[in-house]
Amino acid sequence: MTGVNSAVETLMSGTNTLFILLGAIMVLLMHGGFAFLELGTVRHKNQVNALVKILTDFAISTLAYFFIGYQIAYGTNFLVGAEALAANNGYELVKFFFLLTFAAAIPAIVSGGIAERAKFYPFLLASGLTVAFVYPVFEGMIWNGNYGFQNWLENSFGAAFHDFAGSVVVHAVGGWIAFAAITLLGSRNGRYRNGKVVAFAPSNIPFLALGAWILTVGWFGFNVMSAQTVDGISGLVAVNSLMAMVGGTLVAMVVGKNDPGFIHNGPLAGLVAVCAGSDIMHPIGALLVGGVAGALFVYVFTLAQNRFTKFDDVLGVWPLHGLCGVWGGVATGIFGASSLGGLGGVSLVSQLIGSLAGVVVALVGGLLVYGLIKVVAGLRLDEESEFNGADLSIHKIGSTSLD
């Protein structure tokens, strides 16, 4: 029997490693979605920069998270022999890979907000600092119980802060770091005249749509595989993600008056919001959560463009990730309750406090990182470089040839 048990354990260990590896690959693919969503939204002269930023950000994020961030969040140090790292089929390494794809989403989110006028290397430096030092602080608080925050919430309000797949830990944190960066950077030249917004039309709707589809499909790895082991997988997470996606799409279509940019961001808004409670909500609750998120994105993005003349959020990452992420954290305390068909075990007060804590950590961290870099190296391209576009100014090549 000992041999049989050992074989079963080895099989389960290998299966769990493969499971989370597939999740990591799906979320890695989502970074291609970030790239194409930004590429399709920015003007033609900034398309190359959009693609380059997402890839180089991921590379910088990998190093920052491997050597610093993961240790801050989980206390795991990879500076040991390969024999130790290979234990349990290398599960701990693949878990790092999976969680890295989440961490690297932070600069990918910020990238869309500060597009078309940010310096390249200062932005990469800021990405490394946020992934190494800002994001892991809140990640560790929520997903590893660091600093006693979750214990305090549970003892005080009956339940810890529930964020299954990162509505707040990933998306709200990324969105509010972006809020800080966008505020410090200022609006694009020519974006506002006499206090009124000047339309900068998306350069390529098909690429924008492709990016949204890649993100949407990858999100099912993002959410479902947050279980991290095969025995924890739940079809409820998958269907709740589906329903929130549909709710966000349809409401954004109606409220956004058939605008393709809103329609393709609608499912993303719904998916951002459902991450936190996808494992405990009823599918009808998830549909409502996604629908509210779709409306929230359209209304706030439109308001910010027309009224916040110094706040130029190119892709709308603050409402999409920052606000819809917070809504997802709060909504988990509402629709996760057993009285509304959820599985229960949540506290609305804990959800409110946890969501607010994520905003504070992100906003303070973002202002510190981007504020320091603004003083030391500057954040913004000079006026001529911005006029010529980041493609020619930074990368010395355009996205297409005229020959």
Side-chain angles (χ1 to χ4, degrees):
M1 289 298 294
T2 302
V4 173
N5 290 337
S6 178
V8 170
E9 290 176 3
T10 300
L11 177 62
M12 283 304 300
S13 176
T15 302
N16 286 333
T17 300
L18 178 60
F19 174 75
I20 199 170
L21 174 60
L22 292 174
I25 293 169
M26 289 183 72
V27 185
L28 174 61
L29 180 62
M30 290 177 71
H31 288 265
F34 281 120
F36 277 96
L37 188 70
E38 183 174 336
L39 182 157
T41 304
V42 298
R43 290 171 290 177
H44 190 270
K45 61 185 179 181
N46 296 295
Q47 289 182 328
V48 172
N49 185 242
L51 294 171
V52 170
K53 281 189 300 178
I54 301 301
L55 181 58
T56 53
D57 267 340
F58 191 89
I60 294 293
S61 297
T62 299
L63 297 181
Y65 200 60
F66 183 86
F67 288 107
I68 303 172
Y70 194 76
Q71 184 168 350
I72 289 175
Y74 300 103
T76 298
N77 189 325
F78 294 117
L79 302 180
V80 296
E83 183 178 353
L85 296 176
N88 298 318
N89 299 93
Y91 177 82
E92 192 64 37
L93 281 176
V94 178
K95 179 183 175 182
F96 154 78
F97 181 15
F98 180 66
L99 292 172
L100 159 68
T101 60
F102 284 53
I106 302 300
I109 290 167
V110 176
S111 175
I114 65 173
E116 301 203 326
R117 77 274 200 201
K119 288 184 176 180
F120 184 59
Y121 286 110
F123 171 65
L124 288 183
L125 176 59
S127 299
L129 291 174
T130 52
V131 172
F133 298 108
V134 180
Y135 169 74
V137 169
F138 191 67
E139 178 189 20
M141 285 172 58
I142 304 306
W143 286 344
N144 198 48
N146 297 353
Y147 317 118
F149 181 71
Q150 290 283 47
N151 286 337
W152 171 71
L153 288 177
E154 186 170 6
N155 293 333
S156 301
F157 307 107
F161 177 66
H162 188 95
D163 190 355
F164 178 69
S167 286
V168 178
V169 173
V170 179
H171 296 287
V173 168
W176 283 93
I177 290 176
F179 182 91
I182 293 163
T183 301
L184 290 169
L185 195 59
S187 60
R188 289 167 288 177
N189 290 325
R191 181 60 167 157
Y192 296 96
R193 292 176 187 167
N194 301 319
K196 294 185 178 180
V197 65
V198 176
F200 287 176
S203 61
N204 194 308
I205 295 296
F207 276 148
L208 185 159
L210 175 63
W213 270 109
I214 292 172
L215 284 165
T216 298
V217 173
W219 225 296
F220 288 86
F222 195 101
N223 283 1
V224 174
M225 291 172 173
S226 285
Q228 298 188 18
T229 56
V230 172
D231 61 350
I233 194 170
S234 171
L236 182 65
V237 176
V239 173
N240 281 343
S241 300
L242 175 68
M243 296 300 278
M245 173 200 120
V246 168
T249 302
L250 295 179
V251 172
M253 176 188 70
V254 174
V255 178
K257 301 177 181 178
N258 302 327
D259 183 295
F262 288 140
I263 290 172
H264 286 97
N265 276 283
L268 309 184
L271 286 161
V272 164
V274 83
C275 286
S278 58
D279 62 325
I280 60 172
M281 291 180 186
H282 188 280
I284 295 175
L287 178 67
L288 295 173
V289 169
V292 170
L296 181 64
F297 170 70
V298 174
Y299 280 126
V300 177
F301 180 72
T302 304
L303 175 68
Q305 279 202 98
N306 293 317
R307 299 292 179 86
F308 303 168
T309 57
K310 299 295 183 182
F311 185 82
D312 187 8
D313 184 354
V314 180
L315 267 67
V317 298
W318 173 60
L320 181 67
H321 298 275
L323 296 183
C324 291
V326 169
W327 160 239
V330 174
T332 299
I334 301 170
F335 293 97
S338 56
S339 59
L340 289 177
L343 297 181
V346 290
S347 161
L348 179 57
V349 176
S350 293
Q351 294 304 118
L352 287 166
I353 294 173
S355 298
L356 179 61
V359 172
V360 171
V361 170
L363 197 53
V364 172
L367 288 171
L368 286 173
V369 169
Y370 283 93
L372 177 63
I373 291 175
K374 182 176 183 178
V375 171
V376 174
L379 291 173
R380 185 162 185 149
L381 292 171
D382 61 67
E383 190 169 341
E384 181 179 0
S385 296
E386 184 179 338
F387 177 80
N388 291 332
D391 293 358
L392 294 179
S393 299
I394 297 173
H395 309 291
K396 312 305 179 187
I397 191 169
S399 61
T400 55
S401 172
L402 297 178
D403 296 333

